[in-house]
Amino acid sequence: MNEPLTFVSWRWLPTKPYRSTFAPETVYALRDMIAKHYHGPHRFVCVTDQTSKLPGIETIPLWSDLSKVPSPIGHSYPSCYRRLKVFAPDAGEMFGPRLVSIDLDTVITGDITPLFDRPEDFVIWGESDFPHTTPYCGSLWMLRTGTRPQVWERFDEATSPKAALKAGCRGSDQAWLSYVLGKGEATWGRKDGVFSFRKHIAKTGHGLPAEARLVCFHGREDPWGPLAQSLPWVKAHYPRGKAVAA
């Protein structure tokens, strides 16, 4: 693909206690892994409510849109509805023609260029604990900005979370994506080298599959936590200790 690609990370202070703490170092770690493993021109940004905490990182001030919409499955679960704004028709003005939304609790272990040099307008990780009703996971998606505008335009904070939950869709933004887009979108999976630490690796002895390119820690374990840091492949691939830009 010849279009510029923007990797978008997200870091904001939770309004309620959350199981994980995303220190500024996690943003630098992700930036450095992408720079190492994506072999093409790109831009890395962090959408954050603490822009001064990330010197050397291009930051975008976090908007207030949908910031008060709780997760419909309980207050102890994260609410990521504000990320839906990247589906607004004019999001390209801020993010450019193509973007990848990627969670901070990701470990990149191989060449990710093939994942994102694809022609589709939208690709999302097709991994879920509820595959029959929630076919997508919000930890990773790629979007040509301006496409799929219904994700933003049809969302109503009073009714949409309940409608998605009633249909069996679990989570916050991923539930709405699954509900409003339905099955049939292009996805990544293990065949592409995208793995879940909790579902695919922790259950099989914690070894890194040879074909892995990217491992998502969507669960209680974090890449910077003691369990993950006891694994040689995590220590080899996940940068630690960078509190400021290199």
Side-chain angles (χ1 to χ4, degrees):
M1 302 291 294
N2 294 321
E3 291 175 302
L5 183 63
T6 301
F7 287 91
V8 182
S9 61
W10 309 84
R11 181 179 182 267
W12 64 77
L13 292 176
T15 56
K16 296 182 180 293
Y18 186 58
R19 63 175 181 256
S20 297
T21 300
F22 296 89
E25 290 88 344
T26 63
V27 180
Y28 294 102
L30 182 59
R31 178 200 63 179
D32 291 352
M33 288 186 290
I34 290 171
K36 179 179 179 181
H37 293 293
Y38 181 71
H39 306 302
H42 65 277
R43 172 186 172 205
F44 178 86
V45 304
C46 183
V47 180
T48 180
D49 57 357
Q50 292 187 304
T51 57
S52 64
K53 300 292 186 180
L54 296 169
I57 298 286
E58 182 183 353
T59 58
I60 294 175
L62 180 66
W63 44 82
S64 60
D65 305 72
L66 307 184
S67 62
K68 300 185 184 302
V69 185
S71 171
I73 59 176
H75 288 286
S76 62
Y77 291 88
S79 173
C80 299
Y81 289 114
R82 63 186 72 193
R83 300 196 297 193
L84 297 177
K85 193 170 183 178
V86 301
F87 290 90
D90 60 351
E93 297 175 10
M94 187 178 299
F95 295 104
R98 287 196 309 141
L99 66 84
V100 172
S101 175
I102 182 169
D103 280 358
L104 292 174
D105 51 359
T106 300
V107 177
I108 301 174
T109 62
D111 182 8
I112 58 173
T113 312
L115 298 178
F116 306 122
D117 285 6
R118 293 179 52 158
E120 296 96 339
D121 289 336
F122 181 68
V123 189
I124 191 168
W125 187 27
E127 187 62 53
S128 170
D129 293 322
F130 307 91
H132 297 296
T133 58
T134 314
Y136 312 126
C137 181
S139 294
L140 182 72
W141 76 67
M142 179 172 68
L143 173 73
R144 178 170 285 106
T145 50
T147 66
R148 309 298 188 276
Q150 66 270 33
V151 172
W152 175 251
E153 294 175 338
R154 285 182 52 188
F155 188 84
D156 179 272
E157 57 186 271
T159 61
S160 296
K162 296 176 184 177
L165 181 62
K166 185 177 181 180
C169 301
R170 303 281 290 184
S172 57
D173 58 335
Q174 72 179 24
W176 178 245
L177 285 166
S178 296
Y179 178 78
V180 74
L181 295 178
K183 297 179 180 180
E185 295 288 355
T187 60
W188 299 289
R190 280 174 282 179
K191 63 180 174 52
D192 304 294
V194 181
F195 284 78
S196 162
F197 180 79
R198 174 169 54 84
K199 295 184 66 176
H200 306 141
I201 294 177
K203 294 181 179 180
T204 57
H206 296 100
L208 180 69
E211 65 273 30
R213 300 177 186 271
L214 183 152
V215 179
C216 296
F217 282 69
H218 61 135
R220 294 190 178 278
E221 299 295 339
D222 296 316
W224 50 88
L227 172 59
Q229 284 297 306
S230 72
L231 304 176
W233 64 267
V234 176
K235 289 193 289 187
H237 291 287
Y238 188 79
R240 291 299 307 270
K242 286 198 174 185
V244 296

